[in-house]
Amino acid sequence: RAPRRSGDLPAMMPGSRLRCAAAASRYADRVEPAPTGGARQPESPTKCPDGELPLLPLAASCAAIVALTAALAGSPASAQVQILDPPDLEAAAFSDGEFLSLYGDRSAVGFQPGALDRAHHFLRRLEVITEAFNRWSGVAVPVVGYLVDREKWNEMQMPGLYGIPLRTSATAIVLPSRGDDETVRMWRSILGVEQLPLNPGEPLRGTSEEAASLAIVDVLAQVEAARAFALQAELVADEEWIGEVAAHLAARTLFADVEPAKLGAIDFVYDRIYERFGGERQHALAEFRADGLVGEVADAETWLWFQGAFARAARVLHEQRGRKSVKHLKKLSDRGRLDGAGLRDAYPGLAAWLDSAFR
């Protein structure tokens, strides 16, 4: 396989680039029309007054497909961009011409026909995520998302549960393209609720509960993207839990900056996961494996419990230093102090968390 040049985005699914004209004609009925008078465009690419993700017009996404190489070549920040080739699993699964692609400045989304609205929404999220990560660390962190339906997920024999995003390489995430009755039932069962939080209201397709199940998926996907950031920004250490807390902290900091109205619901999700799967001292910290999410429900429950625990730790760090907390971790890393002892010294509340959370 030929090496990828720095600054190139790969053709993730060979022969499947989405052309602007085809997208406009074939999928026009699946894209929500702008309200009369034009949609409000936020002044900042990373903030919106109402706490929602900023709008990235569909035309801009399509134009990026045509002009991406030139745009990247002219951007100083993008000179560092290097997206890895998909691993063998993805290369085989996504090479059949069934998938289409949308490209942003630092990220890309592959999706099946019929999921353009979902792909466009998730690309906007990835663009906000990767722009913030680059701004915080000076390190380019490109991320690729693959959206698949349940049938394709099963056909590909993906490990893990449909309804929980799966990171398949340093920069690639596979996640559901749509919610369904099963994703709703699964998340109701996990959280022990009759009505899911993060309900966005009536979606373009499906029910509001199905859309809420996808919203929970996207919360977890933001952490998966942040794991790529933690790796690239060297916020990982010999102790695996440190990289996990750093990833949750980066994801939380971004939610606080861009979608602060969702923080309460996000905390509720992680707290319920943590409590429903055993609460304090259910596991020893040494039991954690970053790649521990596999198909068996018991392992998924263990992995989810740890996510709830790490989310709580990230809350402790964020409460102490706010939006400066991620940059502070980077400083600790640069000084060689990003370890258990260094974090305990810098964040007294973290020691209490370590003592109370684990066996």
Side-chain angles (χ1 to χ4, degrees):
R1 185 179 291 171
R4 182 78 54 195
R5 296 193 310 274
S6 178
D8 273 356
L9 281 171
M12 297 184 301
M13 282 63 75
S16 65
R17 284 177 180 265
L18 177 64
R19 298 184 182 278
C20 295
S25 60
R26 185 176 178 186
Y27 297 101
D29 61 326
R30 297 195 177 108
V31 180
E32 186 175 18
T36 304
R40 174 185 55 79
Q41 297 297 322
E43 294 181 1
S44 165
T46 59
K47 281 183 179 286
C48 278
D50 57 4
E52 292 299 318
L53 281 172
L55 298 176
L56 178 67
L58 180 62
S61 298
C62 290
I65 301 167
V66 179
L68 178 68
T69 303
L72 286 179
S75 169
S78 66
Q80 307 173 61
V81 171
Q82 183 177 13
I83 289 188
L84 306 180
D85 284 323
D88 290 342
L89 171 66
E90 294 173 35
F94 293 112
S95 62
D96 57 7
E98 180 183 345
F99 283 78
L100 306 170
S101 308
L102 283 178
Y103 291 86
D105 290 333
R106 295 180 176 86
S107 58
V109 174
F111 61 101
Q112 295 167 278
L116 179 62
D117 53 331
R118 166 77 167 142
H120 184 235
H121 173 84
F122 193 66
L123 180 67
R124 288 192 283 119
R125 181 171 293 280
L126 286 184
E127 284 291 281
V128 171
I129 290 170
T130 52
E131 189 278 332
F133 291 167
N134 179 257
R135 176 164 40 85
W136 291 343
S137 67
V139 177
V141 188
V143 179
V144 180
Y146 296 107
L147 302 174
V148 302
D149 60 24
R150 184 181 293 276
E151 181 180 359
K152 188 67 174 180
W153 181 284
N154 293 335
E155 177 188 322
M156 292 161 56
Q157 298 183 334
M158 296 294 292
L161 304 173
Y162 189 79
I164 298 177
L166 183 70
R167 189 163 57 98
T168 58
S169 75
T171 59
I173 307 167
V174 182
L175 65 162
S177 61
R178 64 188 64 179
D180 57 24
D181 289 344
E182 289 301 317
T183 59
V184 172
R185 275 195 289 268
M186 182 186 77
W187 279 110
R188 282 177 176 171
S189 176
I190 288 173
L191 301 180
V193 296
E194 294 184 2
Q195 186 171 7
L196 295 178
L198 293 165
N199 193 314
E202 287 303 317
L204 292 180
R205 61 185 302 171
T207 68
S208 59
E209 283 285 278
E210 290 168 354
S213 71
L214 281 185
I216 298 172
V217 169
D218 289 352
V219 168
L220 297 177
Q222 188 147 310
V223 178
E224 295 297 342
R227 287 189 176 92
F229 163 72
L231 182 64
Q232 297 273 28
E234 298 181 343
L235 299 182
V236 296
D238 290 340
E239 300 168 89
E240 271 193 317
W241 66 268
I242 293 176
E244 290 294 300
V245 172
H248 275 274
L249 177 62
R252 180 180 184 81
T253 302
L254 188 55
F255 276 122
D257 279 0
V258 182
E259 302 172 281
K262 292 184 178 180
L263 271 183
I266 291 169
D267 288 345
F268 173 82
V269 167
Y270 281 121
D271 285 346
R272 291 294 290 174
I273 288 172
Y274 181 72
E275 294 160 1
R276 293 273 294 170
F277 293 136
E280 291 184 350
R281 301 184 181 277
Q282 178 66 16
H283 296 282
L285 190 55
E287 295 176 36
F288 176 73
R289 288 171 50 242
D291 61 348
L293 178 57
V294 295
E296 288 78 7
V297 172
D299 287 341
E301 290 178 357
T302 299
W303 185 86
L304 285 168
W305 181 89
F306 275 107
Q307 300 316 300
F310 296 140
R312 288 186 166 203
R315 205 180 308 170
V316 171
L317 271 60
H318 190 262
E319 286 172 354
Q320 183 169 329
R321 293 183 184 267
R323 64 187 310 173
K324 297 180 180 178
S325 51
V326 176
K327 289 185 177 180
H328 181 251
L329 289 194
K330 187 71 171 73
K331 288 180 180 178
L332 289 178
S333 176
D334 293 342
R335 296 169 184 166
R337 291 285 291 154
L338 189 61
D339 53 27
L343 286 176
R344 286 180 177 89
D345 289 344
Y347 297 92
L350 192 65
W353 167 77
L354 287 167
D355 291 340
S356 64
F358 302 100
R359 285 204 298 251

